[in-house]
């Protein structure tokens, strides 16, 4: 089944933009950058405290930043991952300290960032990003959408 999730575009400075998805991780409201250039989905470790760490020998425990520096990461299982009204249930992601990115966003646009939705997630759910309608479509099977609480 295909689900459509709205996103917004934040202008960081003149002609510099990032698409942002809003969601919830285990009930905590998050803002995630849709980052097609990021190979992995990475969430700030401050909101994933006490989540179970997944030990995978075949996965290198690093992610590369845009400046090619290695960033230490761990893989965890998020018990509840909701984007828009779509509930992805338990989801494995990587975590690291993203406070420098969040701090930069707060300084530039007064808006916190809690993670990057990477190409691994986008590929897994066959995502289509439509800037005209400012929506992202994802294909998921046997999952339920989550109605927004008012």
């Amino acid at each position: 089944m295909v689900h459509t999730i709205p996103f917004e575009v934040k202008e960081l400075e003149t002609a510099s933009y990032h698409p942002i998805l809003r969601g919830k991780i285990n009930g905590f409201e998050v803002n995630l950058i849709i980052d097609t250039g990021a190979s992995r989905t990475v969430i700030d470790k401050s909101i994933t405290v006490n989540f179970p760490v997944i030990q995978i020998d075949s996965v290198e425990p690093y992610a590369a930043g845009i400046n090619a520096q290695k960033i230490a990461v761990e893989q965890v299982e998020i018990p509840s991952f909701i984007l828009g009204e779509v509930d992805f249930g338990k989801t494995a992601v990587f975590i690291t300290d993203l406070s420098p990115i969040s701090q930069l966003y707060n300084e530039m646009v007064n808006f916190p960032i809690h993670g990057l939705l990477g190409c691994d997630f986008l590929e897994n759910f066959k995502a289509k990003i439509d800037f005209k309608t400012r929506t992202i479509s994802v294909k998921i099977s046997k999952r339920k959408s989550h109605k927004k609480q008012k």
Side-chain angles (χ1 to χ4, degrees):
M1 176 182 274
V2 176
H3 295 276
T4 303
I5 307 167
F7 67 84
E8 59 190 276
V9 176
K10 289 285 185 184
E11 184 173 22
L12 302 179
E13 50 194 16
T14 304
S16 176
Y17 308 93
H18 278 158
I20 306 293
L21 267 176
R22 292 181 185 259
K24 290 184 180 183
I25 293 178
N26 226 31
F28 183 83
E29 292 188 10
V30 294
N31 301 311
L32 305 175
I33 297 171
I34 302 171
D35 191 347
T36 60
S39 59
R40 297 176 176 162
T41 295
V42 180
I43 305 296
D44 187 68
K45 68 180 184 178
S46 69
I47 61 172
T48 60
V49 176
N50 299 323
F51 289 4
V53 174
I54 301 169
Q55 298 297 329
I56 300 178
D57 294 334
S58 63
V59 175
E60 186 177 336
Y62 297 98
I66 195 164
N67 57 3
Q69 288 183 329
K70 286 186 175 181
I71 302 165
V73 296
E74 287 184 291
Q75 192 172 33
V76 299
E77 183 177 79
I78 294 173
S80 173
F81 190 40
I82 298 169
L83 296 175
E85 295 183 6
V86 181
D87 189 344
F88 293 88
K90 291 181 182 178
T91 306
V93 298
F94 290 89
I95 61 168
T96 195
D97 179 11
L98 294 178
S99 59
I101 292 172
S102 191
Q103 183 178 1
L104 180 63
Y105 259 80
N106 269 326
E107 290 172 8
M108 295 179 81
V109 291
N110 196 29
F111 190 81
I113 290 298
H114 305 99
L116 307 172
L117 196 64
C119 201
D120 58 343
F121 183 91
L122 301 171
E123 171 64 23
N124 186 43
F125 293 102
K126 306 302 178 218
K128 292 182 182 178
I129 303 168
D130 185 336
F131 278 88
K132 184 175 182 180
T133 62
R134 295 208 172 163
T135 58
I136 181 171
S137 299
V138 292
K139 186 176 182 181
I140 48 182
S141 58
K142 299 181 184 180
R143 304 258 183 175
K144 298 177 183 176
S145 63
H146 179 79
K147 298 297 178 193
K148 284 185 181 177
Q149 296 178 8
K150 294 182 178 183

